Amino acid sequence: MLIKGIHHISMKCAAKEDFDRAKDFYTGTLGLSICREWPDGIMIDTGNGFIEIFCNGEGERAKGAIRHVALLTDHVDELSDQIKMAGYEVFVEPTDVVIGSAPPYPIRMAFCTGPLGEEIELFCER
């Protein structure tokens, strides 16, 4: 296989306040670590890929073909509580689901809205 995996997901914002809020959400609320910073950007380590945030966008928030980013965790409920305590919306509360694949795929998941309007799934394989 020529592709080894996903290196990073990239997001843009225009306002410094949005950038600071996103940085605090991913590092403070979710507890991820910064691996690189530059004057108008940051790269945050998710453990098996990166979230890259630039503060040089036009400021337009539009949902495109990518529906959400799924972060793998063993702590869906705990993270959902932390996200709510930080003032963000959890629009799908933690729930158990069995994806009807072959073989069946049991998961626990929740969805929240991040500081830049991005949708984030908290995803736990059971």
Side-chain angles (χ1 to χ4, degrees), residues 2-119:
L2 297 176
I3 302 295
K4 296 192 295 185
I6 294 173
H7 183 269
H8 70 272
I9 302 297
S10 181
M11 294 182 280
K12 283 192 175 202
C13 58
K16 173 93 167 85
E17 300 79 33
D18 287 341
F19 179 82
D20 291 342
R21 195 168 49 253
K23 180 179 176 181
D24 180 64
F25 177 79
Y26 285 101
T27 61
T29 302
L30 298 184
L32 301 175
S33 61
I34 297 168
C35 71
R36 289 180 183 78
E37 278 189 90
W38 53 97
D40 62 353
I42 190 169
M43 193 170 278
I44 299 167
D45 190 352
T46 68
N48 62 355
F50 303 95
I51 295 171
E52 178 183 63
I53 305 170
F54 288 98
C55 188
N56 63 357
E58 296 297 318
E60 181 180 332
R61 294 182 182 175
K63 187 184 260 186
I66 296 175
R67 303 299 300 166
H68 64 268
V69 174
L71 299 176
L72 188 62
T73 180
D74 290 331
H75 307 281
V76 171
D77 297 72
E78 181 181 337
L79 280 171
S80 293
D81 289 342
Q82 286 178 213
I83 289 165
K84 286 189 273 191
M85 286 176 35
Y88 295 94
E89 177 189 17
V90 174
F91 62 90
V92 175
E93 291 290 332
T95 186
D96 292 316
V97 175
V98 177
I99 297 172
S101 59
Y105 190 27
I107 65 167
R108 184 153 184 84
M109 51 75 112
F111 280 87
C112 71
T113 303
L116 301 178
E118 71 277 22
E119 291 185 3

